[in-house]
Amino acid sequence: MIFEIEMTGGEKKQVDTVISYSWSADLSAACDGLRLYFLKNDVSDTAEAYRIRVFDGSDCVFFGYVDTEKTTYDAQGCVCFIYARSSACLLVDNEAAPVTLISPTSTQLFETFAKEFGFKNGLGEIQGDMVYMIPKGTSCFGAIQDFAADVSGAGIYVDSGNTLRLYDNSDEIEIPQDIVISASVITERGEPVSDLNYKIESSEPYRHCLTSLFLKQENISRKRYFNASSYPVGQRERVLRQKLYSLSGSYRRLELTVQGTALHPLYSRFVPQSNQPEYFKGYILEQRVIEGSEKGETTKLVFRKDVDLQEVMYVAE
């Protein structure tokens, strides 16, 4: 990996001596995170880091903004640490104006909440036949993400070219067994929530319920309460199902640590090879962590089982 840092004055510098780095991407986070440690050759250089690009060969694979820069001087020399988030942080850090839209489109959402920050629109044309409410406190990223999820069922991300795109869950991953360092299958019975009790009017009790028949069959019973009264009818069901899924999606996971840099896109489906266990089927990539140092590079790939929660809605008597 090649790391290029852009200073606030516009000057670009390539990092010569990388000590270590960790680059993480996660479906639950809008931004990728990059932690970079390197030796700083010129101790008198006080230029402030602004943005950072990471190249895999000639391809830019990460573009982001520096959140934290820390320089430490000791007997070993001058060590600099940088923490940066991918450019989606501009959409996360800026709040969307609360508004209710009638039959909005993806272009309208992009023009309103993303264009001013220099992003490009790669979402395609998505038409929403509904009343779409953006409540107070929603980020610009959340305003576009929730709309895309409502209409297309897919989440959004910002690629290294600063373009907004929809996730594609049709990609498949094959990982040769000879590069696998370790594999772990994990079951988290202490986390999933089987019942989401909610209300659709502020004055009423929590008498509505969204329950997972799948988790009930697995003898998991755990409830949470949620006030859904502020959401329009067209958004409410998606919000409830998304919340239940977020509370239960990590029930079964597969973790693979592999040699080298594995730049597989999130949402990709794992396809086991003939010399890998059959029960590795049905997993979707939700997290990727690439780490590097003088000892080499490794990638941890975390998959979640694509489970049908078998959601059922009912009203308690």
Side-chain angles (χ1 to χ4, degrees):
M1 292 287 188
I2 300 170
F3 299 86
E4 181 186 83
I5 300 173
E6 180 182 345
M7 306 302 170
T8 52
E11 181 184 3
K12 296 179 181 179
K13 299 179 180 180
Q14 185 172 311
V15 176
D16 294 322
T17 309
V18 175
I19 299 173
S20 66
Y21 73 89
S22 177
W23 169 22
S24 62
D26 195 312
L27 283 180
S28 65
C31 313
D32 292 6
L34 175 67
R35 297 176 180 275
L36 173 66
Y37 290 88
F38 61 95
L39 290 179
K40 197 171 186 179
N41 298 323
D42 185 0
V43 296
S44 64
D45 183 5
T46 59
E48 190 172 316
Y50 169 44
R51 299 192 291 202
I52 184 167
R53 291 173 174 83
V54 181
F55 294 88
D56 182 24
S58 60
D59 297 327
C60 180
V61 293
F62 176 92
F63 168 59
Y65 291 80
V66 175
D67 280 343
T68 303
E69 181 180 11
K70 177 182 177 181
T71 305
T72 302
Y73 305 87
D74 57 24
Q76 297 181 351
C78 182
V79 176
C80 188
F81 164 74
I82 279 179
Y83 174 70
R85 289 177 295 159
S86 58
S87 62
C89 66
L90 297 180
L91 299 176
V92 172
D93 292 349
N94 285 277
E95 184 177 345
V99 66
T100 298
L101 303 173
I102 309 298
S103 300
T105 67
S106 56
T107 299
Q108 180 183 2
L109 271 292
F110 172 82
E111 295 279 341
T112 304
F113 300 114
K115 186 176 181 180
E116 66 175 296
F117 301 109
F119 293 98
K120 298 184 282 290
N121 187 4
L123 297 173
E125 190 60 27
I126 307 172
Q127 175 72 51
D129 183 20
M130 60 183 179
V131 176
Y132 179 59
M133 184 190 72
I134 301 173
K136 176 76 172 70
T138 303
S139 69
C140 290
F141 185 91
I144 305 172
Q145 159 84 0
D146 291 348
F147 169 77
D150 277 346
V151 179
S152 71
I156 67 167
Y157 68 99
V158 179
D159 67 15
S160 56
N162 224 27
T163 301
L164 269 75
R165 300 191 183 278
L166 291 173
Y167 275 115
D168 183 0
N169 62 5
S170 65
D171 290 332
E172 294 183 342
I173 299 175
E174 291 187 0
I175 300 174
Q177 185 60 30
D178 59 1
I179 70 167
V180 176
I181 299 172
S182 66
S184 301
V185 179
I186 303 163
T187 302
E188 290 282 4
R189 293 188 59 83
E191 292 185 5
V193 172
S194 59
D195 296 280
L196 188 61
N197 290 19
Y198 64 97
K199 59 182 177 179
I200 59 176
E201 299 289 343
S202 296
S203 58
E204 73 171 9
Y206 291 88
R207 62 192 189 93
H208 299 265
C209 185
L210 177 65
T211 189
S212 167
L213 296 181
F214 169 78
L215 292 176
K216 293 286 191 180
Q217 293 165 4
E218 298 294 316
N219 295 317
I220 293 176
S221 183
R222 193 172 289 114
K223 68 175 65 174
R224 294 289 185 272
Y225 291 87
F226 181 67
N227 186 352
S229 61
S230 62
Y231 291 93
V233 175
Q235 274 179 267
R236 187 182 300 144
E237 184 173 340
R238 192 272 307 167
V239 170
L240 291 165
R241 292 182 186 276
Q242 183 182 45
K243 190 168 185 64
L244 183 66
Y245 185 83
S246 68
L247 293 168
S248 309
S250 61
Y251 174 42
R252 289 176 179 154
R253 299 198 311 276
L254 169 66
E255 293 186 4
L256 298 179
T257 300
V258 302
Q259 300 169 3
T261 302
L263 287 169
H264 298 296
L266 299 182
Y267 259 120
S268 298
R269 293 179 175 273
F270 181 56
V271 179
Q273 297 189 327
S274 59
N275 60 345
Q276 293 170 329
E278 185 72 13
Y279 58 79
F280 279 9
K281 277 186 177 179
Y283 282 87
I284 295 174
L285 184 61
E286 68 172 0
Q287 185 186 56
R288 184 191 66 225
V289 182
I290 301 173
E291 296 183 334
S293 69
E294 61 181 9
K295 298 179 181 179
E297 294 176 321
T298 61
T299 304
K300 183 172 79 168
L301 302 170
V302 181
F303 301 82
R304 58 168 170 77
K305 188 73 171 180
D306 188 13
V307 173
D308 179 5
L309 293 180
Q310 301 174 37
E311 307 101 306
V312 174
M313 286 181 164
Y314 66 91
V315 180
E317 297 296 335

